[in-house]
Amino acid sequence: MILASASPRRSQLLSEVGIEFRVIPANIDETPLPGENPVSLVERLARAKALAVAQTAEPGELVLAADTLVWLDGAVLGKPTSPEDARTMLGKLSGKTHHVSTGCALIERPHEGLSAPKDWRHLTFSNTCAVKFYELDSQEIQAYVATGEPADKAGAYGIQGLGRLLVKEIQGNYDTVVGLPVAQVVRELRAFAPHALGPVMGI
């Protein structure tokens, strides 16, 4: 199986449950469409990543792609462009409940390469959870931004790192916030491509 993501967190989650894979990151245009809601966007991006990598895959190879978005009141919060941008994002999240959605897509390139990519076997799904932050004062925000952790994180925090100290409550799947709802992925794989699971099938 191919993981179409350079995220070390997604690789770790798959490795921890014994799934064997190789990594080929996808490079796509992630610009939202006009009026596109966060869940539709995250599913479309996951599907686009999977398709982009599947077209370079070996015949019969399975591709898993994922995309994660942090959103507040319907507005997507991407990766901060500067420390000031990170401080602004964290200020918006302070004391509020926001949502994190991870979209996933599975595409299997057929052994016979005669069919068009749009006709290849595919599956797209997503998982969304709610995350509530503590009230954060400016000193706490500044100290967290100074660690550098928010720089490459959607929403300017990493729940698997020091960002966990900002989180008061989660309603939903923790792994979704990390970047891959791995329990759901395994269950979808059981139906879609059980050969990709190996020993995980025994659970």
Side-chain angles (χ1 to χ4, degrees):
M1 186 171 77
I2 297 173
L3 174 63
S5 172
S7 165
R9 295 169 292 280
R10 293 188 181 117
S11 289
Q12 180 181 356
L13 287 168
L14 285 180
S15 295
E16 285 175 348
V17 296
I19 295 177
E20 295 183 358
F21 61 94
R22 61 190 180 106
V23 173
I24 302 179
N27 183 20
I28 63 165
D29 181 0
E30 300 189 17
T31 305
L33 300 176
E36 191 171 30
N37 67 61
V39 174
S40 296
L41 172 59
V42 81
E43 291 185 355
R44 179 176 65 81
L45 294 180
R47 189 164 52 248
K49 289 179 179 180
L51 182 59
V53 172
Q55 293 184 72
T56 67
E58 297 294 329
E61 202 161 21
L62 179 69
V63 177
L64 167 65
D67 193 82
T68 300
L69 294 177
V70 176
W71 48 285
L72 176 67
D73 299 328
V76 173
L77 301 179
K79 296 177 182 179
T81 58
S82 65
E84 178 58 35
D85 192 26
R87 288 190 288 270
T88 298
M89 284 189 191
L90 292 168
K92 289 179 180 179
L93 296 175
S94 173
K96 295 182 180 178
T97 297
H98 63 275
H99 292 85
V100 180
S101 296
T102 293
C104 301
L106 292 165
I107 292 182
E108 186 173 54
R109 181 164 186 163
H111 287 281
E112 297 296 332
L114 301 178
S115 61
K118 65 181 179 64
D119 297 323
W120 294 351
R121 216 162 62 90
H122 67 275
L123 174 69
T124 304
F125 55 94
S126 63
N127 190 279
T128 298
C129 66
V131 181
K132 184 174 183 178
F133 266 26
Y134 284 103
E135 292 282 352
L136 309 176
D137 59 34
S138 58
Q139 184 176 359
E140 189 172 7
I141 290 174
Q142 176 61 36
Y144 179 55
V145 172
T147 68
E149 185 173 277
D152 64 342
K153 306 292 191 303
Y157 76 98
I159 197 168
Q160 71 283 356
L162 293 171
R164 72 188 65 190
L165 301 178
L166 313 179
V167 176
K168 184 175 184 179
E169 181 180 332
I170 298 176
Q171 294 181 341
N173 189 326
Y174 170 83
D175 288 340
T176 291
V177 188
V178 177
L180 190 72
V182 69
Q184 184 178 3
V185 168
V186 167
R187 282 158 177 75
E188 298 292 355
L189 278 169
R190 282 178 179 163
F192 187 85
H195 57 275
L197 291 174
V200 180
M201 283 296 291
I203 296 176

